[in-house]
Amino acid sequence: MTSNNNTPNLLKEILRVVLAVAIIVVGITHFTTPDQYVRIVPPQLPYPTELVYISGFFEILGGIGLLIPFVSVAAAWGLIALFVAVFPANINQALNSIPIEGIPHHPWLYWARLPFQAVLIAWAWWYTQKPAEQPGSFKEQL
């Protein structure tokens, strides 16, 4: 009979793929529709278009890296840094009620989105933790 000892690890790995794919898709949109992101870059920051492209590049890179075991911990730390770095744009969006495609234009949603950044940081941080090597783990089965 198979035990469910690996269920938490399986869930963690499924959520790793979900985060990676989501962040890659968002990163791609920084290149396909950069203007929507340029609008929320705080006006105090120089070169907003370039900052959008740079953040998009690192989102794509971080998402891909999260899926590669050899670099996944470094990628997770990079995503944490990125989530912190883009937070001022999220604050600017909330303060100035700036609409973005794909997000319903309700100012309260922009404010509600701010704490979600902490969820993203915690989610990425989860992948900075080395899994305990357990007999019968998924890694050993490969």
Side-chain angles (χ1 to χ4, degrees), residues 35-40 92-94 96-107 110 113:
D35 292 345
Q36 67 179 349
Y37 297 105
V38 169
R39 285 195 303 265
I40 67 170
N92 185 48
Q93 180 187 23
N96 296 298
S97 190
I98 303 168
I100 285 187
E101 289 178 37
I103 298 176
H105 183 55
H106 296 291
Y110 304 145
R113 184 173 167 231

Side-chain angles (χ1 to χ4, degrees), residues 74-126:
W77 282 115
L79 286 173
I80 291 168
L82 182 68
F83 294 147
V84 170
V86 301
F87 193 62
N90 295 340
I91 293 171
N92 185 48
Q93 180 187 23
L95 286 173
N96 296 298
S97 190
I98 303 168
I100 285 187
E101 289 178 37
I103 298 176
H105 183 55
H106 296 291
W108 65 269
L109 275 178
Y110 304 145
W111 287 99
R113 184 173 167 231
L114 293 178
F116 187 67
Q117 206 72 5
V119 172
L120 291 172
I121 290 168
W123 194 355
W125 180 81
W126 196 18

